[in-house]
Structures are given as structure tokens and as C-alpha cells.
């Protein structure tokens, strides 16, 4: 049983979905502190006018909260993001795919919880891509105070035999990787890309932008090909 545990991001890049498709169970780990100027509430798109940020305004006081406690006080950003995406990608070959997402998540529903929005988008996109990965919430499991023991507790509750971690998590594990093998869990670090390029609305090719760019430019059934290393 291969498991990944990661915080939710706002419309993540392709590597995030590469990680999801690579495991049996993907755990949304939003029971940790919200970090300012991170990927939780923003990401980069690459429309006809070039790279730009899509950012959800979050109160500065949210740094005292866990990610799944962060509230979005004003829904005006939804209209701004919908307009930005619609204008920027209107001429993309598969804009209708992006338009469906815009309608479902930015126009028809108001979001108060950042985590709920992110999880909703991640699950919806994963479903469109045909992923069979089970996506669950860390809050469903016993949570220890020690950060490494917390991860191990979740993995053991799921019955994991392998933990696929992001490459920057080595510092988080605090040189305690041996604990995983002692519990019968193989620890492996995910390597991302290089990924298959595709035609974008702008040049040069940008690989690390939000998956929204892939959704607008590549048909759903072909996108998984772009989520595997070349």
C-alpha cells in the first residue's frame, strides 16, 4: 500500500497530480499551520499575456491557524479569478474544459473555507483524470503531537507499506528516516519530471505553472501522459 501525505494547494501544478496518481492513498494534510506566501492560496497561470499569479486574499492573522481553519472572508476574488481565466484562456484549444471548472468552482458556489475549496478542486480534477487513488483527510486518523510520529501514525492506520514523500520533506523529517523502516514502511522521495511538453498560448514553454494551463490546452484523456516523467 503506497501512501502520500501532503497539504492542499490552490489549483496545484502538474507534479502534485503526478504524486496523486503514483499512490494508492493520498492524504490531505491540512491539520498543520497555514503558511503565508505559499501555494495554499495562490498559484501561477500562463495565459496569452504570460505568467501571472492567481491569489486568494487571506487575513494575515491566519498564520496562527491550521490550514483547515483558514476562512476566506470575501468572495469578490472568485469573480476576479473567473474573469482572469476566461479572458486569458479564451482562445485555448480546450477552453471548454477550463470553463466547466470556472462555472463549478468560481461562479456557482461561494467558498468560505480555503481547505474545502482546495480539496474540492483537487478531487474534481483527479476525477476528471480518471484517477483511482483514494483521497482522504488527515483528520480522519489519530494525530500525535510529535510531527514525525504523526505521519507514522497516519501511515500505520492506513496500513502503508511505502511512504512517497515530496523531495523537500527531508528537513521536516529531521533526520529520523530510520523510524519508517523500523515500522516496516519504506520511505521514498518523489522526483518530478522532466515532463512531456505541450503547446501553450505563450512561449517559451513553462512546466511549473498550475495544472489549469494543461486543462485549457490538452484534452482530458491526454493530460495523464503529461503527468509522467519523460
Amino acid at each position: 500500500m503506497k501512501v502520500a501525505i501532503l497539504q492542499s494547494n490552490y489549483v496545484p501544478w502538474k507534479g502534485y497530480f503526478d504524486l496523486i496518481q503514483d499512490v494508492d492513498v493520498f492524504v490531505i494534510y491540512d491539520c498543520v499551520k497555514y503558511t503565508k506566501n505559499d501555494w495554499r492560496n495562490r498559484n501561477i497561470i500562463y495565459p496569452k499575456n504570460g505568467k501571472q499569479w492567481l491569489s486568494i486574499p487571506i487575513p494575515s492573522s491566519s498564520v496562527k491557524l491550521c490550514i483547515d481553519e483558514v476562512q476566506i472572508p470575501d468572495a469578490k476574488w472568485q469573480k476576479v479569478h473567473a474573469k482572469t481565466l476566461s479572458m486569458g484562456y479564451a482562445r485555448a484549444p480546450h477552453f471548454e474544459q477550463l470553463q466547466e471548472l470556472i462555472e463549478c468552482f468560481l461562479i456557482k458556489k461561494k467558498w468560505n473555507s480555503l481547505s474545502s475549496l482546495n480539496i474540492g478542486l483537487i478531487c474534481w480534477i483527479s476525477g476528471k483524470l480518471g484517477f483511482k487513488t483514494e483521497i482522504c483527510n488527515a483528520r480522519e486518523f489519530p494525530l500525535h503531537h510529535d510531527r514525525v510520529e504523526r505521519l507514522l501514525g497516519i501511515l500505520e492506520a492506513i496500513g502503508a507499506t511505502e511512504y512517497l514523500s515530496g523531495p523537500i520533506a527531508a528537513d521536516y523529517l529531521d533526520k529520523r528516516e530510520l523510524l519508517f523502516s523500523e515500522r516496516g514502511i519504506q520511505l521514498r522521495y518523489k522526483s518530478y519530471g522532466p515532463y512531456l511538453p505541450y503547446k501553450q498560448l505563450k512561449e517559451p514553454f513553462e512546466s511549473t505553472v498550475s495544472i489549469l494551463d494543461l486543462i485549457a490546452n490538452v484534452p482530458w484523456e491526454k493530460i495523464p501522459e503529461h503527468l509522467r516523467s519523460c
Side-chain angles (χ1 to χ4, degrees):
M1 175 76 70
K2 190 186 297 186
V3 180
I5 303 174
L6 197 63
Q7 295 93 342
S8 70
N9 291 348
Y10 179 53
V11 289
W13 78 299
K14 64 170 75 72
Y16 194 101
F17 292 92
D18 178 13
L19 181 63
I20 292 176
Q21 74 168 348
D22 210 13
V23 296
D24 302 298
V25 180
F26 184 82
V27 182
I28 300 287
Y29 195 52
D30 281 0
C31 52
V32 292
K33 290 293 184 182
Y34 170 79
T35 47
K36 187 179 179 182
N37 297 329
D38 214 331
W39 301 108
R40 313 299 159 242
N41 69 311
R42 64 179 189 165
N43 223 300
I44 300 171
I45 57 172
Y46 196 46
K48 62 181 181 180
N49 294 325
K51 289 168 64 175
Q52 64 185 98
W53 285 97
L54 277 185
S55 300
I56 302 171
I58 299 294
S60 58
S61 58
S62 295
V63 294
K64 301 176 182 179
L65 304 173
C66 291
I67 299 166
D68 56 11
E69 297 172 331
V70 173
Q71 297 294 299
I72 307 173
D74 194 332
K76 292 178 182 177
W77 67 272
Q78 294 187 211
K79 187 176 292 186
V80 173
H81 286 203
K83 183 177 180 180
T84 299
L85 290 170
S86 295
M87 293 180 65
Y89 285 103
R91 295 185 180 180
H94 297 280
F95 173 68
E96 75 283 351
Q97 296 177 166
L98 181 59
Q99 191 171 36
E100 183 181 8
L101 183 150
I102 293 168
E103 287 285 336
C104 290
F105 288 91
L106 298 177
I107 295 176
K108 291 183 177 179
K109 184 173 181 179
K110 178 182 176 182
W111 297 92
N112 298 313
S113 164
L114 177 63
S115 182
S116 295
L117 166 63
N118 289 348
I119 294 172
L121 281 162
I122 290 165
C123 290
W124 187 86
I125 294 170
S126 296
K128 287 288 186 180
L129 294 172
F131 290 174
K132 303 301 181 184
T133 305
E134 178 185 354
I135 299 177
C136 53
N137 195 308
R139 294 284 188 188
E140 300 171 22
F141 306 98
L143 297 174
H144 303 289
H145 292 296
D146 179 273
R147 61 187 185 183
V148 177
E149 285 293 337
R150 177 181 284 203
L151 294 177
L152 286 164
I154 294 172
L155 293 168
E156 289 178 327
I158 293 172
T161 56
E162 182 177 340
Y163 173 42
L164 186 58
S165 173
I168 64 172
D171 290 340
Y172 184 86
L173 297 179
D174 197 25
K175 299 181 180 179
R176 296 164 70 188
E177 290 92 342
L178 188 60
L179 288 175
F180 291 84
S181 59
E182 289 175 351
R183 307 283 184 91
I185 301 169
Q186 180 187 2
L187 171 61
R188 187 163 66 87
Y189 291 104
K190 175 72 175 177
S191 58
Y192 297 107
Y195 294 107
L196 185 70
Y198 58 94
K199 185 171 177 56
Q200 297 175 309
L201 296 180
K202 191 78 174 175
E203 293 183 344
F205 181 73
E206 293 283 351
S207 181
T208 59
V209 296
S210 167
I211 197 170
L212 296 181
D213 192 77
L214 256 173
I215 293 171
N217 288 300
V218 177
W220 283 116
E221 64 272 15
K222 295 289 186 180
I223 291 178
E225 298 175 13
H226 296 270
L227 305 180
R228 303 185 186 96
S229 298
C230 298

